[in-house]
Amino acid sequence: MASLSIKPGQRFTLPDWQNNSLLISADAEQQRFNSHHIRQEGRALRNETGNQARWDEHNSRTRLNDRIISVDRWREALAKCLPEIDLEIDALTKVKEAAENAIQAKNLCLDVAIECLTFRESRRDIDVVRDPVEEELLKEVKVIEKTKKELQQRVDDAFKQLCLLKEARQQLSCDHRHKVETLELDRQCMSFNPTSGNISFKVNPTRIPDGTTALHEWELNSQCNKDHAEAEMKASVDLRGAITLSIAQTNNELDAQRIATEFALRKRIRDMEGALSELRWQEQNTLEEIAEMEEEIRQLEEDLRKRTLDLKVAHTRLETRTYRPHIELCRDQAQYGLTDEVQQLEGTIRVLQKKRTESQDALDALYRQLHRIQTDIGYKTNSLQLDNKCMDTRKKLVVPVEKFEPEVDAINRTRNLPRKSQLELA
């Protein structure tokens, strides 16, 4: 006879079963509601942050573009000013050289006058007389000394003004170069976008680097550099006009006093021989210095080659150690030592390269100076040959009278004046 089998365990009532179903439905509806709310908030957040990001990027791009326009405007202004100041430096240098040539010409006249007076002191008896020739020679000495002093003051003023012009030019050039570099960097920033291959996270990108200046300081610096250069150019134009007038006036004063004699020609030959001797001595010493400097450059290049090889070794060691596995990839003392070695070698190489550049510049200057000396020797040798011919054919020295034609308006000098002046020997 079969029996009823009842499963052991807790038995729930029908209301419990119904309540459980209702609870599950209510919880599901609440979770769907919460999910829908979160989705709506997420969509709103995405729209808001996307719009904000696009606006921020547009704003940054606009500001970069405005900055590029501003920097480029100053770059153009400085680039326009640089050739102007170069022309003014060249013009003032030529006027200064003309004044120095005028002083040199007056040195010759002074030597001739003094030598003539000394020679005439050898006269004896009744010939020792205060004649018109002696009076004119004494007057010439006074005029020459006065004009030399005036011209030398002008030369000194020109030298000081050239220093100021070159200083202003250096400031302009440095400012212009920095602006060119800045434009390159800002234009590179303009080219960046989310698909660029060279973008990455940087360490503390919002930091303020040392040496950062305010915008008004930047603008004031550029304006000051430009204004300073223009002021120095204006002063240079005025000075060129003053030097031109001084040369013309002193030449006119000396035109009536020029006296040449055979003795003056002899004195010129002696002066020329002394100058040639000095130049040959300078030539020999310069050649010796060139040889020593070339050897020094060779040794610097050899040391630079050795340090470069050392740097390669240190780089290779550092790179090789990056392949250490897992926890072994630690910054141990060897790593710090290699890093310090790389930094030290890089500093050493920079110092050696700088010294090599300085040595090469010095060598180039020596070669230029040697060329100048050899050219001057050629000039003076030719002049000496001409003077020797004159000694054979003439009884007195004919001193050329220099004619300096100013190319500036002596009364109304402006920035638009011609920048070239010329000293002609007629």
Side-chain angles (χ1 to χ4, degrees):
M1 183 174 182
S3 62
L4 178 64
S5 176
I6 300 175
K7 183 179 180 180
Q10 182 180 1
R11 296 272 181 170
F12 295 97
T13 65
L14 183 60
D16 290 337
W17 176 83
Q18 294 175 342
N19 288 337
N20 181 67
S21 298
L22 291 174
L23 180 62
I24 291 175
S25 298
D27 288 343
E29 183 176 353
Q30 182 64 39
Q31 292 301 325
R32 287 195 302 274
F33 175 80
N34 292 340
S35 175
H36 176 75
H37 181 69
I38 291 173
R39 285 191 296 107
Q40 293 299 322
E41 288 181 344
R43 184 178 295 112
L45 179 61
R46 286 189 291 108
N47 291 335
E48 179 182 357
T49 56
N51 292 334
Q52 183 65 41
R54 283 190 294 272
W55 171 252
D56 290 343
E57 198 278 337
H58 173 74
N59 191 31
S60 296
R61 183 175 293 274
T62 301
R63 292 183 179 183
L64 275 173
N65 186 63
D66 292 342
R67 180 60 176 170
I68 288 173
I69 293 174
S70 177
V71 174
D72 191 54
R73 184 176 66 253
W74 273 111
R75 181 198 62 78
E76 290 178 354
L78 296 178
K80 181 180 178 181
C81 195
L82 278 172
E84 292 180 358
I85 199 170
D86 287 336
L87 289 175
E88 186 57 39
I89 289 174
D90 182 63
L92 183 58
T93 300
K94 290 181 178 179
V95 173
K96 174 176 171 289
E97 291 174 353
E100 292 172 340
N101 291 336
I103 293 175
Q104 184 63 33
K106 290 166 181 58
N107 284 336
L108 176 61
C109 295
L110 183 61
D111 291 341
V112 168
I114 294 176
E115 196 64 32
C116 287
L117 285 171
T118 304
F119 182 75
R120 290 172 66 82
E121 287 296 322
S122 300
R123 294 175 296 170
R124 298 180 181 178
D125 299 330
I126 195 64
D127 289 338
V128 183
V129 57
R130 179 65 64 86
D131 55 9
V133 176
E134 184 173 342
E135 292 176 358
E136 291 297 328
L137 284 172
L138 292 172
K139 183 179 178 181
E140 184 183 4
V141 169
K142 292 180 180 179
V143 172
I144 292 174
E145 289 178 346
K146 185 189 73 171
T147 56
K148 281 184 59 181
K149 183 177 180 181
E150 180 181 349
L151 287 176
Q152 186 59 51
Q153 181 61 45
R154 294 298 186 185
V155 169
D156 294 341
D157 293 342
F159 176 78
K160 294 177 182 178
Q161 187 61 39
L162 278 173
C163 292
L164 294 175
L165 282 172
K166 291 178 180 179
E167 180 183 1
R169 203 266 180 205
Q170 177 65 23
Q171 292 174 349
L172 281 180
S173 178
C174 183
D175 198 6
H176 178 266
R177 184 175 65 255
H178 290 168
K179 283 175 172 51
V180 171
E181 294 175 359
T182 299
L183 283 173
E184 292 178 356
L185 292 174
D186 282 348
R187 284 167 179 164
Q188 183 181 8
C189 290
M190 283 285 290
S191 68
F192 289 152
N193 59 66
T195 62
S196 298
N198 54 347
I199 60 174
S200 64
F201 288 108
K202 306 299 179 183
V203 178
N204 192 18
T206 59
R207 69 186 184 280
I208 299 178
D210 295 338
T212 301
T213 59
L215 180 60
H216 73 278
E217 294 177 341
W218 173 82
E219 293 178 345
L220 181 62
N221 178 72
S222 298
Q223 187 65 51
C224 287
N225 288 338
K226 185 174 180 293
D227 293 344
H228 177 60
E230 291 177 346
E232 295 302 339
M233 284 190 285
K234 184 179 183 301
S236 177
V237 171
D238 295 339
L239 181 58
R240 285 196 292 116
I243 293 175
T244 298
L245 289 178
S246 296
I247 293 175
Q249 291 172 357
T250 55
N251 286 341
N252 291 334
E253 291 177 6
L254 286 175
D255 282 344
Q257 299 295 328
R258 294 289 177 84
I259 299 175
T261 62
E262 187 180 68
F263 180 79
L265 185 57
R266 294 180 185 274
K267 178 65 169 61
R268 180 173 177 78
I269 290 175
R270 291 197 295 270
D271 291 344
M272 199 64 68
E273 289 175 345
L276 280 172
S277 177
E278 172 66 17
L279 283 173
R280 291 192 179 100
W281 183 79
Q282 293 289 350
E283 179 186 25
Q284 181 61 32
N285 287 347
T286 303
L287 286 171
E288 294 175 358
E289 183 62 26
I290 286 174
E292 293 178 0
M293 182 56 74
E294 288 177 342
E295 176 61 23
E296 178 64 20
I297 291 175
R298 189 194 66 77
Q299 294 179 1
L300 281 172
E301 290 177 345
E302 178 63 21
D303 285 355
L304 186 59
R305 185 187 67 82
K306 292 179 179 178
R307 298 295 80 77
T308 301
L309 292 176
D310 293 340
L311 183 59
K312 289 180 180 179
V313 172
H315 276 198
T316 304
R317 288 172 175 173
L318 280 172
E319 181 63 24
T320 302
R321 299 191 86 230
T322 61
Y323 296 101
R324 290 174 295 169
H326 303 296
I327 194 63
E328 298 301 326
L329 187 61
C330 67
R331 294 186 58 82
D332 52 14
Q333 293 302 317
Q335 187 77 7
Y336 286 117
L338 286 171
T339 302
D340 292 342
E341 181 184 3
V342 167
Q343 294 174 351
Q344 182 65 32
L345 285 172
E346 289 175 346
T348 300
I349 289 174
R350 285 194 296 271
V351 171
L352 288 174
Q353 289 174 339
K354 180 180 179 182
K355 182 56 65 177
R356 181 183 62 182
T357 301
E358 292 175 356
S359 300
Q360 187 61 49
D361 291 342
L363 181 61
D364 294 341
L366 285 172
Y367 272 115
R368 289 193 297 269
Q369 186 64 27
L370 178 62
H371 176 71
R372 290 181 59 189
I373 291 173
Q374 292 173 341
T375 302
D376 204 17
I377 288 175
Y379 292 156
K380 286 181 170 53
T381 301
N382 181 64
S383 299
L384 183 59
Q385 292 172 352
L386 295 175
D387 287 345
N388 285 327
K389 292 179 181 178
C390 291
M391 285 295 298
D392 295 335
T393 58
R394 300 173 62 180
K395 296 299 181 182
K396 66 177 181 178
L397 177 68
V398 179
V399 178
V401 180
E402 65 267 23
K403 294 182 180 179
F404 185 73
E405 298 295 339
E407 295 187 2
V408 298
D409 185 346
I411 303 301
N412 300 314
R413 297 188 295 274
T414 68
R415 284 295 305 278
N416 295 324
L417 295 176
R419 301 205 180 251
K420 296 183 179 179
S421 57
Q422 183 178 6
L423 181 64
E424 297 179 352
L425 293 179

PDB file of all heavy atoms in Angstrom, residues 229-241:
ATOM      1  N   ALA A 229      67.167 101.389 -30.779  1.00  0.00           N
ATOM      2  CA  ALA A 229      67.893 101.288 -32.048  1.00  0.00           C
ATOM      3  C   ALA A 229      67.643 102.518 -32.921  1.00  0.00           C
ATOM      4  O   ALA A 229      68.565 103.078 -33.528  1.00  0.00           O
ATOM      5  CB  ALA A 229      67.489 100.004 -32.781  1.00  0.00           C
ATOM      6  N   GLU A 230      66.396 102.958 -32.995  1.00  0.00           N
ATOM      7  CA  GLU A 230      66.081 104.124 -33.817  1.00  0.00           C
ATOM      8  C   GLU A 230      66.739 105.380 -33.267  1.00  0.00           C
ATOM      9  O   GLU A 230      67.224 106.223 -34.038  1.00  0.00           O
ATOM     10  CB  GLU A 230      64.565 104.302 -33.891  1.00  0.00           C
ATOM     11  CG  GLU A 230      63.872 103.210 -34.702  1.00  0.00           C
ATOM     12  CD  GLU A 230      62.361 103.364 -34.693  1.00  0.00           C
ATOM     13  OE1 GLU A 230      61.854 104.153 -33.848  1.00  0.00           O
ATOM     14  OE2 GLU A 230      61.690 102.706 -35.516  1.00  0.00           O
ATOM     15  N   ALA A 231      66.774 105.508 -31.944  1.00  0.00           N
ATOM     16  CA  ALA A 231      67.431 106.675 -31.343  1.00  0.00           C
ATOM     17  C   ALA A 231      68.925 106.676 -31.648  1.00  0.00           C
ATOM     18  O   ALA A 231      69.514 107.720 -31.963  1.00  0.00           O
ATOM     19  CB  ALA A 231      67.184 106.685 -29.830  1.00  0.00           C
ATOM     20  N   GLU A 232      69.559 105.490 -31.562  1.00  0.00           N
ATOM     21  CA  GLU A 232      70.988 105.418 -31.841  1.00  0.00           C
ATOM     22  C   GLU A 232      71.261 105.683 -33.323  1.00  0.00           C
ATOM     23  O   GLU A 232      72.285 106.287 -33.678  1.00  0.00           O
ATOM     24  CB  GLU A 232      71.537 104.045 -31.442  1.00  0.00           C
ATOM     25  CG  GLU A 232      71.477 103.763 -29.944  1.00  0.00           C
ATOM     26  CD  GLU A 232      72.229 104.792 -29.112  1.00  0.00           C
ATOM     27  OE1 GLU A 232      73.114 105.472 -29.670  1.00  0.00           O
ATOM     28  OE2 GLU A 232      71.923 104.920 -27.921  1.00  0.00           O
ATOM     29  N   MET A 233      70.373 105.211 -34.206  1.00  0.00           N
ATOM     30  CA  MET A 233      70.566 105.495 -35.629  1.00  0.00           C
ATOM     31  C   MET A 233      70.437 106.988 -35.916  1.00  0.00           C
ATOM     32  O   MET A 233      71.196 107.545 -36.715  1.00  0.00           O
ATOM     33  CB  MET A 233      69.545 104.695 -36.455  1.00  0.00           C
ATOM     34  CG  MET A 233      69.884 103.225 -36.588  1.00  0.00           C
ATOM     35  SD  MET A 233      68.849 102.359 -37.797  1.00  0.00           S
ATOM     36  CE  MET A 233      67.330 102.220 -36.869  1.00  0.00           C
ATOM     37  N   LYS A 234      69.487 107.649 -35.269  1.00  0.00           N
ATOM     38  CA  LYS A 234      69.340 109.088 -35.464  1.00  0.00           C
ATOM     39  C   LYS A 234      70.581 109.823 -34.962  1.00  0.00           C
ATOM     40  O   LYS A 234      71.090 110.750 -35.620  1.00  0.00           O
ATOM     41  CB  LYS A 234      68.094 109.596 -34.730  1.00  0.00           C
ATOM     42  CG  LYS A 234      67.818 111.074 -34.956  1.00  0.00           C
ATOM     43  CD  LYS A 234      66.560 111.509 -34.224  1.00  0.00           C
ATOM     44  CE  LYS A 234      66.251 112.972 -34.527  1.00  0.00           C
ATOM     45  NZ  LYS A 234      67.361 113.866 -34.143  1.00  0.00           N
ATOM     46  N   ALA A 235      71.080 109.414 -33.795  1.00  0.00           N
ATOM     47  CA  ALA A 235      72.301 110.034 -33.274  1.00  0.00           C
ATOM     48  C   ALA A 235      73.474 109.790 -34.215  1.00  0.00           C
ATOM     49  O   ALA A 235      74.333 110.659 -34.406  1.00  0.00           O
ATOM     50  CB  ALA A 235      72.604 109.491 -31.876  1.00  0.00           C
ATOM     51  N   SER A 236      73.510 108.594 -34.830  1.00  0.00           N
ATOM     52  CA  SER A 236      74.595 108.273 -35.763  1.00  0.00           C
ATOM     53  C   SER A 236      74.518 109.142 -37.017  1.00  0.00           C
ATOM     54  O   SER A 236      75.543 109.606 -37.529  1.00  0.00           O
ATOM     55  CB  SER A 236      74.533 106.792 -36.140  1.00  0.00           C
ATOM     56  OG  SER A 236      75.517 106.470 -37.095  1.00  0.00           O
ATOM     57  N   VAL A 237      73.296 109.354 -37.517  1.00  0.00           N
ATOM     58  CA  VAL A 237      73.138 110.215 -38.700  1.00  0.00           C
ATOM     59  C   VAL A 237      73.632 111.623 -38.402  1.00  0.00           C
ATOM     60  O   VAL A 237      74.350 112.239 -39.207  1.00  0.00           O
ATOM     61  CB  VAL A 237      71.658 110.235 -39.139  1.00  0.00           C
ATOM     62  CG1 VAL A 237      71.429 111.292 -40.212  1.00  0.00           C
ATOM     63  CG2 VAL A 237      71.253 108.865 -39.667  1.00  0.00           C
ATOM     64  N   ASP A 238      73.250 112.154 -37.231  1.00  0.00           N
ATOM     65  CA  ASP A 238      73.716 113.492 -36.854  1.00  0.00           C
ATOM     66  C   ASP A 238      75.236 113.528 -36.731  1.00  0.00           C
ATOM     67  O   ASP A 238      75.883 114.500 -37.159  1.00  0.00           O
ATOM     68  CB  ASP A 238      73.079 113.907 -35.530  1.00  0.00           C
ATOM     69  CG  ASP A 238      71.563 114.065 -35.645  1.00  0.00           C
ATOM     70  OD1 ASP A 238      71.076 114.250 -36.778  1.00  0.00           O
ATOM     71  OD2 ASP A 238      70.876 113.986 -34.613  1.00  0.00           O
ATOM     72  N   LEU A 239      75.805 112.468 -36.150  1.00  0.00           N
ATOM     73  CA  LEU A 239      77.254 112.440 -35.969  1.00  0.00           C
ATOM     74  C   LEU A 239      77.974 112.351 -37.304  1.00  0.00           C
ATOM     75  O   LEU A 239      79.019 112.985 -37.507  1.00  0.00           O
ATOM     76  CB  LEU A 239      77.636 111.253 -35.081  1.00  0.00           C
ATOM     77  CG  LEU A 239      79.133 111.100 -34.771  1.00  0.00           C
ATOM     78  CD1 LEU A 239      79.673 112.344 -34.085  1.00  0.00           C
ATOM     79  CD2 LEU A 239      79.369 109.869 -33.909  1.00  0.00           C
ATOM     80  N   ARG A 240      77.422 111.574 -38.240  1.00  0.00           N
ATOM     81  CA  ARG A 240      78.046 111.486 -39.568  1.00  0.00           C
ATOM     82  C   ARG A 240      78.083 112.848 -40.249  1.00  0.00           C
ATOM     83  O   ARG A 240      79.068 113.217 -40.887  1.00  0.00           O
ATOM     84  CB  ARG A 240      77.288 110.480 -40.438  1.00  0.00           C
ATOM     85  CG  ARG A 240      77.542 109.047 -40.078  1.00  0.00           C
ATOM     86  CD  ARG A 240      77.093 108.094 -41.168  1.00  0.00           C
ATOM     87  NE  ARG A 240      75.652 108.057 -41.329  1.00  0.00           N
ATOM     88  CZ  ARG A 240      75.012 108.441 -42.402  1.00  0.00           C
ATOM     89  NH1 ARG A 240      75.677 108.947 -43.428  1.00  0.00           N
ATOM     90  NH2 ARG A 240      73.690 108.357 -42.476  1.00  0.00           N
ATOM     91  N   GLY A 241      76.998 113.567 -40.103  1.00  0.00           N
ATOM     92  CA  GLY A 241      76.978 114.903 -40.689  1.00  0.00           C
ATOM     93  C   GLY A 241      78.022 115.814 -40.065  1.00  0.00           C
ATOM     94  O   GLY A 241      78.709 116.576 -40.764  1.00  0.00           O
TER      95      GLY A 241
END
